[in-house]
Amino acid sequence: QCPWGAPKAAPMSCSLADVMSEQLAKELQLEEESGAFPEVAAVAEGPFITGENIDTSSDLMLAQMLQMEFDREYDAQLRREEKKFNGDSKVSISFENYRKVHPFDSDSSEDEVDWQDTRHDPYRADKPTTTPKKGFIGKGKDITTKHDEVVCGRKNTARMENFAPEFQVGDGIGMDLKLSNQVFNALKQHAYSEERRSARLHEKKEHSTAEKAVDPKTRLLLYKMVNSGMLETITGCISTGKESVVFHAYGGKYVLYFTTEEDKVIPPECAIKVFKTTLNEFKNRDKYIKDDYRFKDRFSKLNPRKIIRMWAEKEMHNLTRMQNAGIPCPQVVILKKHVLVMSFIGQDQAPAPKLKDVKLSSEDMKKAYYQVLNMMQQLYKECNLVHADLSEYNMLWHEGKVWLIDVSQSVEPTHPHGLEFLFRDCRNVSQFFQKGGVTEALNERELFNAVSNLNITAENEMDFQAEIEALEKMNEDHVQKHGKKVSTFPSDGDPPIWGE
């Protein structure tokens, strides 16, 4: 030691205020943590947020400052737990998913690209080069007109963006596709067709009755019938046809009260006939109803739903006439718009078989023939009707006798085509029973005269039909002249009574 050296300064003793200082305590804690965990120290170190340069008058700012400090301490504690858990193991487990990712901690780089703000989008098609007003660009061999194949192709590709949103054009726009006019026009027409089809889809779903004839409106009518007690339950579909669908139902204890006629008790088993309102196969209803004077004034070809209701009403009136004449047919219960409720021909949900499906003995077949002949005469003379669709498909065999069904298309003989419909019915009935082995069955011309009492003597079928058309023309001229539905057909016996 040199005697001339400066003496060492004695260490100053710390005051009690310095020992209790929070700043000193924090520095000591950081030194201790950095010595124990040198890797984590850099994470824990950071600018301690103080209120020197920050305005702390706002509660929001104070909350954000406290939240940021809490997140930093939580992340440091999480890293310590991670290091303690892993130790010296070669396989480590990371707790990164549990870290607090605070929005103020994200150090966003200025080099990051925001595709929403960029002017050049690689998925957006380049704007096609437009030709000037003069119609061409370039000179000499490099001239390009507006009809250039490449220019038109690129324009057509860009115009695909104007298609409907549901028409997906894919990412072909950014691939520099060149669509020809023929291809573009085909795609455009297809896009418009798909747009119209999707617009009609909702209407078809709400208003059509093509599938089992039950749309929301029809389903609501059936629910009301069940809820009112008129029907106990609807079991299921028993028959489908070109014009309607028939369901089976059990009748309730409800009694229909009328003021002009007798009260009706609901049958134990009912048949619900629901007429299809749209998308049906029966397209030629017009000729059966527009010339029927009972519905002629109310006929409108422009409103199909009203025509269907009129069609159901027509069958109700025809069945009522047949029931009053004593002809075996379903009994009408009630009519609600296009839903007709009738008595069920059958037993225990099993409908009576059609005449074409049942195998009858020779005696039963002969009995059925004379019964059908008698019903046709009753239908013509007493009910003043022609079935217009009579065949083995519309006749049921139940309880040892024939029942007539499906009379919605039935017309009166004074209809402009009434006699033609009657001759067609006679042909169907005659052919069926002749094939069934009934030797007494008359041919179609003899059966026509037997039913109508018209003495038409023609040697062949062509002349016979010509006389039928002449009679219909004569009756139609008489109707137009006098304005009344009065028959002018000559007959052997007393003329039937026409009109309601």
Side-chain angles (χ1 to χ4, degrees):
Q1 297 180 354
C2 181
W4 292 280
K8 293 183 179 180
M12 297 179 61
S13 60
C14 297
S15 65
L16 182 60
D18 294 337
V19 175
M20 299 299 294
S21 174
E22 294 182 1
Q23 184 69 21
L24 180 60
K26 185 172 182 62
E27 292 178 358
L28 294 175
Q29 181 181 359
L30 291 176
E31 291 179 1
E32 182 181 356
E33 290 179 356
S34 61
F37 308 100
E39 297 180 0
V40 186
V43 179
E45 292 178 355
F48 182 72
I49 300 176
T50 61
E52 297 177 357
N53 299 324
I54 300 178
D55 182 15
T56 58
S57 61
S58 174
D59 294 340
L60 176 60
M61 182 60 65
L62 289 174
Q64 291 178 351
M65 292 167 56
L66 293 174
Q67 184 64 44
M68 290 173 62
E69 189 64 24
F70 175 79
D71 291 345
R72 291 179 187 276
E73 295 179 1
Y74 178 82
D75 292 342
Q77 179 66 24
L78 193 66
R79 288 185 179 276
R80 288 194 294 269
E81 293 291 336
E82 178 182 341
K83 186 174 180 60
K84 180 180 178 181
F85 184 84
N86 292 327
D88 298 332
S89 176
K90 295 182 180 180
V91 179
S92 62
I93 297 178
S94 175
F95 292 166
E96 290 292 332
N97 293 336
Y98 297 98
R99 291 188 62 203
K100 295 287 187 180
V101 181
H102 200 273
F104 295 96
D105 289 341
S106 60
D107 299 329
S108 60
S109 174
E110 296 180 358
D111 297 334
E112 292 184 359
V113 179
D114 186 4
W115 292 110
Q116 300 297 330
D117 298 335
T118 55
R119 294 184 178 181
H120 177 70
D121 189 349
Y123 299 103
R124 180 178 296 276
D126 294 335
K127 186 177 181 180
T129 304
T130 58
T131 54
K133 294 183 179 180
K134 57 185 179 181
F136 65 93
I137 56 175
K139 295 181 180 180
K141 297 181 180 180
D142 299 332
I143 189 172
T144 302
T145 66
K146 63 181 180 179
H147 303 291
D148 184 70
E149 182 179 359
V150 177
V151 175
C152 290
R154 288 175 178 171
K155 286 183 178 180
N156 292 335
T157 305
R159 288 164 61 187
M160 287 197 305
E161 290 184 342
N162 299 327
F163 289 168
E166 56 270 9
F167 189 82
Q168 301 178 1
V169 296
D171 57 352
I173 298 178
M175 299 173 61
D176 193 21
L177 294 180
K178 305 174 185 62
L179 296 180
S180 63
N181 293 334
Q182 181 180 2
V183 175
F184 175 75
N185 291 333
L187 289 175
K188 182 179 178 181
Q189 184 64 31
H190 177 69
Y192 289 165
S193 301
E194 288 295 315
E195 186 177 2
R196 291 193 298 268
R197 186 188 65 83
S198 60
R200 294 193 303 266
L201 184 62
H202 177 73
E203 182 180 0
K204 287 183 179 181
K205 184 178 179 180
E206 292 295 329
H207 299 290
S208 67
T209 56
E211 186 176 356
K212 297 300 181 185
V214 180
D215 59 352
K217 293 184 178 180
T218 306
R219 192 178 299 112
L220 183 60
L221 287 176
L222 299 179
Y223 286 159
K224 288 182 178 180
M225 292 181 182
V226 176
N227 293 335
S228 64
M230 186 176 65
L231 299 177
E232 181 179 352
T233 181
I234 300 175
T235 57
C237 178
I238 57 176
S239 176
T240 58
K242 60 183 180 180
E243 64 169 6
S244 62
V245 177
V246 182
F247 296 91
H248 175 272
Y250 285 104
K253 299 179 180 179
Y254 186 81
V255 179
L256 300 177
Y257 297 99
F258 299 92
T259 57
T260 58
E261 53 185 88
E262 297 180 357
D263 299 339
K264 292 183 179 179
V265 179
I266 306 299
E269 292 184 88
C270 298
I272 305 174
K273 188 171 185 178
V274 180
F275 290 84
K276 296 179 180 179
T277 55
T278 56
L279 304 178
N280 47 37
E281 300 87 357
F282 198 1
K283 301 296 184 181
N284 56 349
R285 281 193 175 102
D286 299 356
K287 66 179 182 179
Y288 291 96
I289 194 170
K290 70 178 181 179
D291 292 325
D292 194 329
Y293 79 96
R294 296 176 296 173
F295 305 93
K296 188 174 183 179
D297 297 335
R298 299 163 50 193
F299 178 78
S300 174
K301 193 174 182 180
L302 301 178
N303 194 333
R305 188 170 287 272
K306 288 186 178 180
I307 293 178
I308 301 305
R309 295 182 184 179
M310 196 181 306
W311 194 257
E313 182 182 351
K314 191 166 182 278
E315 177 157 8
M316 181 193 68
H317 290 310
N318 293 340
L319 286 175
T320 303
R321 286 192 186 185
M322 295 169 59
Q323 185 180 350
N324 295 335
I327 299 177
C329 65
Q331 176 186 357
V332 177
V333 178
I334 195 172
L335 172 66
K336 289 290 185 179
K337 296 183 179 180
H338 61 284
V339 178
L340 180 61
V341 182
M342 306 171 291
S343 60
F344 180 70
I345 308 300
Q347 189 175 5
D348 297 334
Q349 303 185 28
K354 298 178 182 178
L355 206 58
K356 74 176 186 67
D357 297 329
V358 66
K359 294 183 180 180
L360 300 177
S361 62
S362 58
E363 292 295 329
D364 289 338
M365 184 65 74
K366 183 177 179 180
K367 176 183 175 182
Y369 169 73
Y370 283 108
Q371 183 184 354
V372 172
L373 176 60
N374 184 30
M375 285 192 298
M376 293 179 66
Q377 292 175 342
Q378 282 184 292
L379 196 65
Y380 187 90
K381 296 179 181 179
E382 300 180 22
C383 301
N384 192 24
L385 289 174
V386 174
H387 192 282
D389 193 23
L390 187 62
S391 65
E392 62 272 17
Y393 294 88
N394 292 329
M395 292 185 288
L396 305 181
W397 181 259
H398 181 60
E399 296 179 350
K401 58 183 178 181
V402 180
W403 296 68
L404 290 184
I405 60 171
D406 193 8
V407 292
S408 56
Q409 73 287 330
S410 299
V411 297
E412 296 192 349
T414 53
H415 188 277
H417 303 284
L419 295 182
E420 296 179 20
F421 296 154
L422 177 61
F423 184 73
R424 186 177 61 188
D425 292 347
C426 293
R427 181 191 295 114
N428 295 336
V429 171
S430 178
Q431 291 179 356
F432 172 74
F433 284 103
Q434 286 179 354
K435 292 180 181 178
V438 180
T439 57
E440 297 85 353
L442 303 175
N443 58 37
E444 56 267 21
R445 287 173 285 176
E446 296 173 346
L447 184 58
F448 180 88
N449 289 329
V451 172
S452 63
N453 287 334
L454 298 175
N455 188 16
I456 299 179
T457 57
E459 297 181 356
N460 53 38
E461 183 176 347
M462 185 176 298
D463 296 339
F464 196 89
Q465 292 182 350
E467 292 192 25
I468 290 177
E469 293 178 1
L471 289 175
E472 290 178 341
K473 185 66 170 60
M474 180 176 59
N475 185 72
E476 185 65 21
D477 295 340
H478 180 79
V479 169
Q480 293 180 359
K481 182 182 294 186
H482 299 280
K484 297 180 180 180
K485 285 290 181 179
V486 180
S487 172
T488 58
F489 305 146
S491 59
D492 295 338
D494 297 333
I497 299 176
W498 307 98
E500 288 287 339

